[in-house]
Amino acid sequence: MKATIVTIGDEILIGQIVDSNSSYIAKALDKIGIATHEMLSISDDKEHILTTFQKLQNQVDVVLITGGLGPTKDDITKKTFCDYFNDSLIEDEKVLQHVKDIIEGFYKRPITQLNKDQALVPSKAKVLFNKMGTAPGMWMEHENTIFISMPGVPYEMKYLIDNEVIPNLVEKFERPFIVHQTIMTYGRGESLIAEEIEDWENNLPSFIKLAYLPSPGRVRLRLTARGNDEWVLKEAIKNQIISLTPLIEEIIVGFEEDDSIEVVLGRKLKEKGFTIATAESCTGGKIGQMLASIVGASSYFKGSLVTYATQSKIDVLGVSKEIIEKYSVVSEEVALEMVNKVKQIMGSDYAIATTGNAGPSKGDSEADLGVVYIAIATPNKVFVERFDFGQPREKVIDRAVNKAFELVYKEI
Amino acid sequence: MKATIVTIGDEILIGQIVDSNSSYIAKALDKIGIATHEMLSISDDKEHILTTFQKLQNQVDVVLITGGLGPTKDDITKKTFCDYFNDSLIEDEKVLQHVKDIIEGFYKRPITQLNKDQALVPSKAKVLFNKMGTAPGMWMEHENTIFISMPGVPYEMKYLIDNEVIPNLVEKFERPFIVHQTIMTYGRGESLIAEEIEDWENNLPSFIKLAYLPSPGRVRLRLTARGNDEWVLKEAIKNQIISLTPLIEEIIVGFEEDDSIEVVLGRKLKEKGFTIATAESCTGGKIGQMLASIVGASSYFKGSLVTYATQSKIDVLGVSKEIIEKYSVVSEEVALEMVNKVKQIMGSDYAIATTGNAGPSKGDSEADLGVVYIAIATPNKVFVERFDFGQPREKVIDRAVNKAFELVYKEI
């Protein structure tokens, strides 16, 4: 079972937007054992779309297409479907009613012809009802390939994938098994890890593949086993994990796809009934946002005080003006003040504070670019560490955020 | 001049990470008049890479490749380069010294064989020096196509694009002209806009293309003109803008690529010497983060108080417990309290507050899913509005954030 994902839109090819749809679709396919062969982004050009369909026809089992279904002139996917499959557009009553409900009922606007045209679909296509928007999805079977067209708006595409596309694919195909196991690590680089597990890696059976997925401050190791007997695959993976774990135990945070250090941190806080808060300067609120983004975060995440300007460190956190003047705003002393104050204001058990100079230019302080102080408060102690994260800005922020999680994690 | 961008990595094809590199590269190419024909993501598989190179050979002028240059076993791009171009690896002294500086000098770790191997490059390749990491870029000319390989780590790729790839391409090629003009609008859907500018759109000359780029609460209109005389293209675009503007003047926020409503808002605040702060609940700090992400934000952005849990609205903002109990945490009254308190605490001229129920399940309040109250404080008034943003969660948050910017924007 092979699939190719196609995104249609000049806005992608000139770099105006990042294509996040393909990644969502690939993940959903992977879960049901359908391998994504390629992802492809092409232009809103009829000829380009047609030649792409021709190339993919009978080369893969499924082609999943997003984009070009909007109401405007540059949206030509539907017409191109008709040309390629030699079909014509007909009005779908259920979709038309749905469009009316959205435009007249929800947005309280008179319905336009462009709105009505959203209800036109190729006569041979199975309509995939789009509860989240006005553009329906389309399922077209042609020779040995299924062409599935979805809107490019992410939450509409996601609704169709979860509620229409995946269920239909599961029903239609017998699929081989793909078993993934992710090992989440933190605080050590991929080449060091590779050295430590070299012998183990060399002895992996041929049907199991290892991938290193590094991002600042963390490396995900991913084992992938392919075969026809799910039980055999799972056993094989389980045994590999048993032999791998002792080699890098001290840096493993978890074995779930979403066991990023902040998620595991959140879980530990929740288990123990502890709460956490942040006071952020150079990290601009990113530590808090990552904590807040976890489902159920409100049970342990009190909130964050993003004191961006120096003055707001004084006004909001109550850091003393004297300390800032004496030691500068990027200093051990200010970081400690920040963490103590936020812990007190938020009434949390743990707290994180950051102050640094992410660059690209020197801001309110004379600190070198890349220098960040991270202070941690726990129920029974407070400490601060100085880091030099180099440049560029985004790397400094990412590494500061991850280092902060790492420092707290060890304390819980 | 046509280019194809290729990302190599199973982690992309199984949806574990989103490919943001291609978008950055495409934008850089577009700026110098090189059109991206396609973007392609393929697996870490030697055969797959080789057949892709064969397909692209002589089909496009430039192939830009990211990924597969790491130090570990699943990184095979370099070896595959040697196979395809029938070359062998040699050690580059400058790169080796650089790797030593990073590992031994910066990370203070003994250098490993895997680290040293990073300095091996195909003998026929021009080395693109990667100041940001250990993996060098490679520039290989073969028949009518240039193959450029870069690491997949975003800030390393960006460094190579800006400092090596683009300068070399500019020097090597005569390029046609591409002129883009973006019109940033807010608060009106794409089909309504399309109706209003239909006649104008129908009369566009054939060498000018219009694209609609909708995202929650805002639509970007993009005009693209291609040709050989830059002056002619610019004049034509200028004249089209002159005839378009009166048709939708009231919803235009700007004409720059980055004139998103928050950027224009920031600019207006800066000009007038006003400051702003936010108190956020259901938006989880996103409004503040978007303000903080703008360069120079510290001159007008005081900071944000992310009072995630109900209790922290009381502890941090000092919202009265009685009001929360009487009207519930998702209410006009609480939103007004929040905005007044944060304006006072932060000492800002303007303030935004949000409280709502983003879903998917009902949280601390009985409010319907999708209901959000947004309160705005200006130097001389305070007001609140109730919105029903429906579902899903991400749509509610995005629309609340954009609506908040829209409400403040009108007041400045």
Side-chain angles (χ1 to χ4, degrees):
Chain A
M1 275 296 295
K2 283 199 308 184
T4 286
I5 299 167
V6 179
T7 50
I8 299 174
D10 292 350
E11 64 274 24
I12 293 169
L13 292 178
I14 69 164
Q16 205 153 13
I17 67 166
V18 170
D19 165 35
S20 58
N21 288 348
S22 297
S23 154
Y24 186 90
I25 296 168
K27 202 170 203 162
L29 293 174
D30 182 72
K31 281 211 190 87
I32 60 167
I34 297 178
T36 297
H37 175 61
E38 289 183 348
M39 294 172 178
L40 188 61
S41 296
I42 62 175
S43 66
D44 298 310
D45 172 76
K46 188 178 153 188
E47 286 315 309
H48 200 167
I49 298 171
L50 289 175
T51 52
T52 303
F53 285 1
Q54 275 145 20
K55 259 187 268 165
L56 297 175
Q57 181 77 61
N58 304 326
Q59 188 215 27
V60 291
D61 306 285
V62 191
V63 178
L64 297 105
I65 304 143
T66 62
L69 289 183
T72 54
K73 285 206 169 36
D74 61 320
D75 295 305
I76 60 170
T77 303
K78 233 156 43 171
K79 293 183 205 67
T80 313
F81 250 57
C82 289
D83 295 340
Y84 185 73
F85 300 109
N86 174 7
D87 197 357
S88 57
L89 295 171
I90 56 166
E91 190 171 82
D92 183 293
E93 288 197 2
K94 189 182 174 199
V95 175
L96 182 60
Q97 187 51 53
H98 176 60
V99 172
K100 283 181 180 160
D101 295 344
I102 292 178
I103 303 296
E104 297 172 344
F106 187 75
Y107 288 113
K108 308 261 184 284
R109 286 200 303 253
I111 191 160
T112 69
Q113 187 54 47
L114 284 180
N115 294 138
K116 290 197 186 119
D117 292 347
Q118 293 286 70
L120 296 174
V121 292
S123 68
K124 299 177 193 165
K126 179 203 271 187
V127 173
L128 306 177
F129 187 68
N130 174 10
K131 204 176 138 194
M132 294 296 172
T134 57
M138 300 176 287
W139 171 294
M140 188 77 93
E141 303 191 7
H142 189 61
E143 294 171 17
N144 305 318
T145 304
I146 301 172
F147 292 81
I148 300 166
S149 165
M150 295 166 282
V153 182
Y155 60 83
E156 297 185 24
M157 173 280 300
K158 288 176 185 174
Y159 173 83
L160 283 173
I161 285 289
D162 298 346
N163 299 279
E164 297 284 338
V165 175
I166 295 298
N168 277 297
L169 287 172
V170 166
E171 194 180 297
K172 189 165 177 70
F173 294 102
E174 283 293 323
R175 287 152 285 111
F177 291 106
I178 301 178
V179 176
H180 290 298
Q181 177 65 61
T182 303
I183 303 100
M184 308 294 294
T185 74
Y186 73 95
R188 196 172 297 170
E190 66 173 325
S191 43
L192 265 187
I193 295 173
E195 296 275 329
E196 293 165 336
I197 66 175
E198 188 174 11
D199 298 343
W200 171 84
E201 182 173 358
N202 291 336
N203 292 320
L204 281 173
S206 60
F207 65 95
I208 299 185
K209 214 177 159 193
L210 173 70
Y212 294 78
L213 310 171
S215 52
R218 53 185 75 181
V219 175
R220 277 181 298 184
L221 304 174
R222 195 191 63 245
L223 288 168
T224 304
R226 279 190 171 69
N228 294 320
D229 185 333
E230 188 175 21
W231 187 85
V232 170
L233 300 180
K234 286 187 165 164
E235 281 304 300
I237 291 274
K238 199 194 296 169
N239 294 329
Q240 292 303 331
I241 294 296
I242 289 167
S243 50
L244 169 66
T245 304
L247 305 176
I248 50 172
E249 199 146 25
E250 66 283 8
I251 60 166
I252 294 177
V253 284
F255 296 93
E256 292 304 317
E257 179 50 47
D258 63 356
D259 279 346
S260 55
I261 189 163
E262 67 274 13
V263 170
V264 180
L265 178 65
R267 211 177 292 144
K268 282 174 96 179
L269 287 166
K270 194 167 186 173
E271 280 164 18
K272 306 195 171 179
F274 285 130
T275 59
I276 191 164
T278 77
E280 305 185 48
S281 185
C282 63
T283 49
K286 192 165 183 183
I287 299 171
Q289 275 241 297
M290 285 173 76
L291 287 169
S293 68
I294 303 162
V295 175
S298 51
S299 66
Y300 56 84
F301 177 54
K302 289 275 195 170
S304 46
L305 304 180
V306 184
T307 52
Y308 204 70
T310 298
Q311 187 58 40
S312 65
K313 293 182 180 65
I314 299 166
D315 299 342
V316 177
L317 284 168
V319 174
S320 93
K321 199 154 179 296
E322 293 61 38
I323 287 182
I324 292 176
E325 277 161 1
K326 184 164 175 201
Y327 300 100
S328 102
V329 69
V330 176
S331 62
E332 275 191 9
E333 292 75 8
V334 169
L336 286 169
E337 278 263 296
M338 288 172 72
V339 81
N340 284 323
K341 297 289 189 181
V342 72
K343 184 174 182 239
Q344 180 191 341
I345 294 168
M346 290 279 191
S348 61
D349 304 300
Y350 289 82
I352 300 169
T354 61
T355 180
N357 190 349
S361 61
K362 292 196 174 191
D364 292 350
S365 94
E366 277 314 298
D368 293 339
L369 300 190
V371 169
V372 179
Y373 291 89
I374 303 175
I376 305 294
T378 79
N380 40 42
K381 73 173 180 193
V382 181
F383 63 95
V384 60
E385 287 191 34
R386 179 189 192 277
F387 300 94
D388 179 351
F389 293 130
Q391 279 293 284
R393 179 181 177 83
E394 61 191 304
K395 175 182 167 191
V396 175
I397 292 171
D398 282 344
R399 295 191 61 202
V401 168
N402 282 287
K403 183 56 74 175
F405 285 131
E406 190 182 320
L407 292 174
V408 182
Y409 181 79
K410 290 181 184 152
E411 299 296 325
I412 299 174
Chain B
M1 275 296 294
K2 281 199 309 183
T4 286
I5 300 166
V6 179
T7 50
I8 299 174
D10 292 351
E11 64 274 22
I12 293 169
L13 292 178
I14 69 164
Q16 205 153 12
I17 65 166
V18 170
D19 165 35
S20 58
N21 288 351
S22 297
S23 151
Y24 186 89
I25 296 168
K27 200 171 204 161
L29 293 174
D30 182 70
K31 280 211 191 88
I32 60 168
I34 297 177
T36 298
H37 175 62
E38 288 183 349
M39 294 172 177
L40 187 62
S41 296
I42 62 176
S43 66
D44 296 309
D45 173 75
K46 188 177 152 188
E47 286 315 310
H48 199 166
I49 298 172
L50 289 175
T51 52
T52 302
F53 284 3
Q54 275 144 19
K55 260 186 271 168
L56 297 175
Q57 181 77 63
N58 304 326
Q59 187 215 27
V60 291
D61 306 284
V62 192
V63 178
L64 298 105
I65 305 144
T66 62
L69 290 183
T72 54
K73 283 200 170 37
D74 61 320
D75 295 304
I76 60 170
T77 302
K78 234 156 43 172
K79 292 183 206 67
T80 313
F81 250 57
C82 289
D83 294 339
Y84 184 74
F85 299 109
N86 177 3
D87 197 358
S88 57
L89 295 172
I90 56 165
E91 189 170 83
D92 183 292
E93 290 198 0
K94 187 181 173 200
V95 175
L96 182 60
Q97 187 51 52
H98 176 61
V99 171
K100 283 181 179 161
D101 295 343
I102 291 177
I103 303 297
E104 298 172 343
F106 187 74
Y107 288 113
K108 309 262 184 279
R109 283 200 305 253
I111 193 160
T112 69
Q113 187 54 47
L114 284 180
N115 294 139
K116 288 192 187 127
D117 292 348
Q118 292 287 71
L120 295 175
V121 292
S123 69
K124 298 177 193 166
K126 179 203 277 187
V127 173
L128 305 177
F129 187 68
N130 174 10
K131 203 177 139 194
M132 294 297 173
T134 57
M138 299 175 288
W139 171 294
M140 187 78 93
E141 303 190 5
H142 190 61
E143 294 172 17
N144 305 316
T145 304
I146 301 172
F147 292 80
I148 300 167
S149 165
M150 296 166 281
V153 181
Y155 61 81
E156 296 184 25
M157 174 279 301
K158 289 177 185 173
Y159 173 83
L160 283 173
I161 285 289
D162 298 346
N163 300 279
E164 296 285 339
V165 176
I166 294 298
N168 278 296
L169 288 173
V170 166
E171 194 178 301
K172 190 168 177 68
F173 294 102
E174 283 293 323
R175 288 150 287 110
F177 290 107
I178 301 179
V179 176
H180 291 297
Q181 177 65 63
T182 302
I183 302 101
M184 308 295 293
T185 72
Y186 72 96
R188 195 172 297 171
E190 65 173 324
S191 42
L192 263 188
I193 296 173
E195 296 276 329
E196 292 165 336
I197 66 176
E198 187 174 12
D199 298 343
W200 171 84
E201 182 173 357
N202 291 337
N203 293 321
L204 281 173
S206 60
F207 64 94
I208 299 185
K209 213 177 160 198
L210 173 70
Y212 294 79
L213 311 171
S215 53
R218 52 184 77 179
V219 176
R220 276 182 297 184
L221 303 174
R222 196 191 63 244
L223 289 169
T224 305
R226 281 192 169 69
N228 294 322
D229 185 334
E230 188 175 21
W231 187 86
V232 169
L233 299 179
K234 286 187 166 165
E235 282 304 301
I237 292 272
K238 198 192 295 167
N239 294 328
Q240 291 302 331
I241 294 294
I242 289 167
S243 50
L244 169 65
T245 304
L247 305 175
I248 50 171
E249 197 146 27
E250 66 282 9
I251 59 166
I252 294 177
V253 285
F255 296 94
E256 292 305 316
E257 180 50 45
D258 63 356
D259 279 345
S260 55
I261 189 164
E262 68 273 16
V263 171
V264 180
L265 177 65
R267 212 178 290 144
K268 282 174 95 178
L269 287 166
K270 195 168 185 171
E271 280 164 17
K272 305 194 171 180
F274 286 130
T275 59
I276 191 165
T278 76
E280 305 185 49
S281 184
C282 64
T283 48
K286 192 165 183 181
I287 298 172
Q289 276 240 297
M290 285 173 77
L291 287 169
S293 68
I294 304 162
V295 175
S298 52
S299 66
Y300 56 85
F301 177 55
K302 287 275 195 169
S304 46
L305 304 179
V306 184
T307 52
Y308 204 69
T310 298
Q311 186 58 40
S312 65
K313 293 182 181 63
I314 299 166
D315 299 342
V316 178
L317 283 167
V319 174
S320 94
K321 199 154 179 292
E322 294 61 39
I323 287 182
I324 291 175
E325 277 161 1
K326 185 164 175 201
Y327 301 100
S328 102
V329 70
V330 177
S331 62
E332 277 191 9
E333 292 75 7
V334 169
L336 285 171
E337 279 262 295
M338 289 172 71
V339 83
N340 284 324
K341 298 288 190 183
V342 73
K343 184 173 181 240
Q344 180 191 339
I345 295 169
M346 291 279 194
S348 62
D349 305 300
Y350 289 82
I352 300 170
T354 60
T355 181
N357 190 348
S361 60
K362 291 195 175 190
D364 293 350
S365 93
E366 278 313 300
D368 294 339
L369 300 190
V371 169
V372 179
Y373 291 90
I374 303 175
I376 304 293
T378 79
N380 41 41
K381 73 174 179 189
V382 181
F383 64 96
V384 60
E385 286 191 33
R386 178 189 191 277
F387 300 93
D388 179 353
F389 293 130
Q391 278 294 285
R393 179 180 177 84
E394 61 191 304
K395 176 182 166 191
V396 175
I397 293 171
D398 282 344
R399 294 191 61 202
V401 169
N402 282 286
K403 182 56 73 175
F405 285 130
E406 191 181 320
L407 292 174
V408 182
Y409 181 78
K410 289 180 186 153
E411 298 298 325
I412 300 174

